Every structure is written in structure tokens, then in C-alpha cells.
Amino acid sequence: MNLNLRTPAGTHISNFSFGTMQWGGKADATDSRAMYDLARAAGINFFDTAHSDTGGVSETLLGEFVAADRNDLFIATKCASTGDCRPEAIAQDFEDSLGRLNMDSVDMLYMHRWSDEVPLEATYEVLAKLVQAGRVSHIGVSNYSAWQVMKAIRVAASFDLKIEMSQPMYSLVKRQAEVEMLPMCRSENIAVVPYSPLGGGLLTGKYSQGSEGRLTHDAMYKSRYGQSWMHSAASALGDVAKEHGISPITLAIAWVAHNPAITAPILSASKSSQLQPSLDAMDYKLDAELYARLTNLTPTPAPATDRSEKA
């Protein structure tokens, strides 16, 4: 865990983060505020948003909610969600974000996407200038592969800049990060803040009950989580959860948090009434036997060398 990641008041970031992607979208302002209050009451001081979320409403609402407690909170946002990593595009995204958040600076600024079109030197030079100006405290990356992170680390270092946080997709049905991302982050002392610990909602159990949602209406999510073994695993997770008298949501998030490479899983919900099982995961500790049982519900990805006999 990267011990440099603290709020402006000096408190270390919480072991769970809250993602505001739904605020201003499926969640209106009142319900978004209710989620913020629940997250704060549970001890979360780390909030995650992005320039692209809900057309900027997510950032605007977050800025309103955190204003009174800004120094006690760690605020992260992202730029370049379209993959446009030109310095002028990054600068514009960042100015937009600060305006919406009504802040002079943020604690973490992620590059949301990798670009093959813009030299890394141009991208990381502008990020270094933001850090040097005191407008950004830390730099992170989202949706980068391990080799991309290592390449970015080298380029960033030429500007006396560190990459201190990574945000990969990671859940019981999306375990690719185990192959190289998580070992790389542990080696390089990069905090890992994974998104979608519930597999786009698949691991909530609602789809096995015939409910509809992103996995039935959104082509991207339907493709991402469309393999039959994923749905079988979600059903099996529900069986284990029932056996233990707990929500599958709590188990799925606790499984992600149990991995020693993970710094702070991102919790979220589209309604405040749905949030409590996720918050319950903050205090739920898996024992080794249950962790292994859940892990065995899904295929373990092959090692990077693909020499499984050496795994």
C-alpha cells in the first residue's frame, strides 16, 4: 500500500473508495446525497469520479457534497476518457473538472485511457506541470495494461513524476489483473483501486432471478459479461451466500478486498437503498477456506508466461 496517499488533513485513505459514476444518471441529486452520507458514516474518505461521468453532473454533485469536509477527503477524478491524451485536451478536461468540483486542486488525477497516438512525453509533461503547480497531488492510471504502466513510469520519471495508483477492472468474473497488473503494482508500490467488483452487477444475483439491467440492455456490458461460465459462477456465488446467510454482494466485494495487492475496492450503487450490502463488505473478513472456495468458482487465468506447470 502506498502510504503517501493521504487527505489534505493528513489522514490515510480509507480501505474502500466510493465511485460516483451513477450520480446524476440513475441516481438523482437526493439519492446521490443519501449515498454520500451513508459512505461517510461507514468511514469512507476516498471518493472517485471522472470528467466523463454523467456529462459532468457526477463531479458537480460530488463538489457540492464534499465542500464542508474537503480537507478530510481524498478526491480523485480522471481525464482523457475519449483517449485524447494531447496536452491541450488534458488541460481542458482538468479545468472542466475543477470548475465542476469547485476546487482549486484534486488529490488524484488519473489518465482514463492509454493512447497510441500521442507521445507519452507530451502527456506526462503536462501532468507533471499540474503537480508542480500544486493543482494535483498524485497521478494515477486507469485501464492501462502492465506494460503500459511500466512504460509510463519510465517516461513520468523523466519529469520527476511518479505514478502512484492504478485502477483496473477486477472481480470474481474478471481476474485478468492477477496475471501481471497486481504483481506489478505490488513490486512498484502502486496502490490498486479496482472498479466493478460486482462484475457490472452480475454478481449481485439479480440476473439469475430474471431481473433486467445493464447486462440485458447495454451491448458493451452484455458482451463483457456474456460468457455462460460467468453466469454459472454468479449463481454459485448466490448459493454460497445463502449458505452463509449473507448477501452475494458482500461476499463478492469482500473477495476482492481480501487480495493483499488491493488497496481500496470502489463501491457504488445506482440507488441508496441498494448500497448497504456493499458497505457491509467493509467489515466482513473472509477466512482462508471461504476465500479459496469463492476463488475456485471461476477459472484462474494462466500466468504471463503461460507455463502453468510453473504457476
Side-chain angles (χ1 to χ4, degrees):
M1 179 179 291
N2 191 321
L3 297 179
N4 292 324
L5 300 172
R6 297 176 179 271
T7 68
T11 304
H12 195 277
I13 59 172
S14 50
N15 292 331
F16 288 79
S17 174
F18 189 88
T20 68
M21 181 179 179
Q22 304 288 354
W23 292 4
K26 292 184 178 179
D28 63 18
T30 300
D31 214 25
S32 299
R33 177 72 207 207
M35 282 189 261
Y36 173 76
D37 290 339
L38 287 168
R40 290 291 290 131
I44 292 175
N45 65 4
F46 178 7
F47 289 85
D48 178 272
T49 185
H51 179 269
S52 60
D53 288 352
T54 59
V57 181
S58 169
E59 289 181 319
T60 299
L61 290 175
L62 179 61
E64 293 175 5
F65 300 160
V66 306
D69 301 315
R70 173 66 185 97
N71 286 341
D72 296 319
L73 304 175
F74 189 94
I75 305 300
T77 192
K78 308 175 194 71
C79 62
S81 64
T82 63
D84 186 349
C85 298
R86 293 172 301 130
E88 56 268 32
I90 291 171
Q92 185 61 61
D93 280 4
F94 184 64
E95 292 300 330
D96 290 346
S97 293
L98 285 188
R100 296 165 180 167
L101 291 163
N102 194 25
M103 295 176 187
D104 296 324
S105 65
V106 296
D107 304 302
M108 174 64 64
L109 179 63
Y110 290 99
M111 290 302 300
H112 208 159
R113 295 283 186 274
W114 171 269
S115 172
D116 288 319
E117 307 300 323
V118 179
L120 283 177
E121 289 77 8
T123 294
Y124 283 89
E125 182 178 17
V126 70
L127 295 176
K129 289 178 178 177
L130 292 174
V131 172
Q132 291 162 5
R135 308 184 77 197
V136 175
S137 298
H138 306 279
I139 294 297
V141 294
S142 180
N143 299 301
Y144 275 37
S145 66
W147 71 265
Q148 290 168 343
V149 176
M150 292 304 297
K151 190 170 182 179
I153 286 173
R154 176 184 60 79
V155 172
S158 69
F159 298 105
D160 197 27
L161 182 68
K162 293 182 179 179
I163 292 174
E164 299 187 76
M165 188 172 281
S166 173
Q167 191 176 111
M169 184 190 306
Y170 187 53
S171 70
L172 194 57
V173 291
K174 282 291 184 180
R175 296 174 55 189
Q176 186 64 26
E178 294 174 8
V179 178
E180 290 193 327
M181 281 298 299
L182 300 189
M184 181 273 298
C185 286
R186 293 192 76 180
S187 170
E188 303 303 313
N189 192 32
I190 296 174
V192 181
V193 182
Y195 67 91
S196 290
L198 295 176
L202 175 61
L203 298 176
T204 65
K206 69 178 184 179
Y207 293 100
S208 61
Q209 299 171 1
S211 298
E212 296 186 351
R214 286 187 295 182
L215 272 64
T216 53
H217 300 308
D218 188 305
M220 181 184 74
Y221 281 93
K222 189 173 183 179
S223 174
R224 183 180 294 174
Y225 299 104
Q227 297 184 57
S228 60
W229 67 263
M230 294 179 174
H231 289 260
S232 296
S235 178
L237 175 67
D239 292 339
V240 176
K242 186 176 181 179
E243 177 185 327
H244 286 263
I246 194 168
S247 168
I249 294 171
T250 304
L251 277 187
I253 294 172
W255 180 87
V256 170
H258 186 86
N259 190 308
I262 301 301
T263 304
I266 299 176
L267 309 182
S268 191
S270 57
K271 298 179 180 178
S272 59
S273 60
Q274 301 171 342
L275 184 56
Q276 192 57 51
S278 294
L279 296 175
D280 290 343
M282 296 175 65
D283 297 315
Y284 191 86
K285 305 300 180 185
L286 297 180
D287 59 33
E289 181 179 356
L290 182 53
Y291 179 72
R293 184 179 177 189
L294 295 178
T295 301
N296 288 333
L297 294 179
T298 58
T300 297
T305 60
D306 209 23
R307 293 192 62 171
S308 56
E309 74 278 10
K310 296 293 186 180

